[in-house]
Amino acid sequence: MNDENAPYLKKFIRDVPDFPKKGIVFKDITPLLKDRGAFNMMAESIAVSYEDAGITHVAVIESRGFLLGSAIASQLGVGVIPIRKKGKLPWKVHQASYELEYGTDVVEVHQDAAGPGDRVLIVDDVIATGGTAKAACELIEKLGAKVAGVALLIELSFLKGREKLPGRDVQALIKY
Ligand code: AMP
């Protein structure tokens, strides 16, 4: 990833203390989303790492992963695969359960979203405890596809989320 741009982009991440509950410092990316320069820089700075990785699809995690991952997929010239919370996808799904920094949940992917021979890049806004990213990896592998990497805008390093993803290529542009 183009780390040179990280200090500039960090200025567009707003810390919101005690959201959605006490003790959580929420990383609000809406200032970055609304700024065309920062938004494009985000997509380019992340996509550059995967230009020669043979990525066939970007899997985007609901909901802020949709926003970032779609722009990254567009940079890479590939399509997107939505990974959604339970009950939102209309067709046949695979499921994986995960723990959030603040609760537990289930994510789903359509059974025809990808398959053997596909190389999927997973994108989300934040990695905290790593549970969501781990569940997303499991879903992609249930499809028979390969997880080519996990790309995050923000890594909360003190929560050690990447320890849940041993042996995987996990890259984050901005680290706290
Ligand atoms: P985790 O599964 O613990 O790695 O949590 C990652 C997921 O929860 C991502 O989809 C994030 O959007 C969200 N999340 C967790 N912690 C935060 C935080 N401090 N600020 C913003 N989003 C967060």
Side-chain angles (χ1 to χ4, degrees), residues 123-144:
V123 172
D124 203 359
D125 62 335
V126 174
I127 184 167
T129 66
T132 310
K134 183 172 183 237
C137 290
E138 284 169 20
L139 285 179
I140 296 306
E141 288 171 349
K142 278 184 186 176
L143 299 170

Side-chain angles (χ1 to χ4, degrees), residues 50 53-59 61 81 83 109 114-123 132-152 164-171:
Y50 305 100
I55 304 296
T56 59
H57 304 81
V58 174
I61 302 179
I81 297 170
I83 293 181
V109 71
D118 287 328
R119 291 176 53 81
V120 178
L121 175 67
I122 293 171
V123 172
T132 310
K134 183 172 183 237
C137 290
E138 284 169 20
L139 285 179
I140 296 306
E141 288 171 349
K142 278 184 186 176
L143 299 170
K146 185 170 169 48
V147 176
V150 180
L152 298 315
K164 285 212 180 79
L165 305 165
R168 299 201 188 272
D169 176 27
V170 181
Q171 298 189 45

Side-chain angles (χ1 to χ4, degrees), residues 10 13-15 19 23-28 64 101-102 125-130 152-163 170-176:
K10 222 172 183 172
I13 310 293
R14 174 165 54 199
D15 280 4
F19 183 89
I24 304 292
V25 179
F26 191 85
K27 296 295 183 191
D28 177 17
R64 290 176 299 278
E101 194 181 350
Y102 40 84
D125 62 335
V126 174
I127 184 167
T129 66
L152 298 315
L153 174 61
I154 298 166
E155 177 176 7
L156 304 180
S157 310
F158 52 93
L159 293 173
K160 300 183 169 38
R162 62 170 65 232
E163 289 181 5
V170 181
Q171 298 189 45
L173 189 56
I174 297 173
K175 299 183 181 82
Y176 292 91

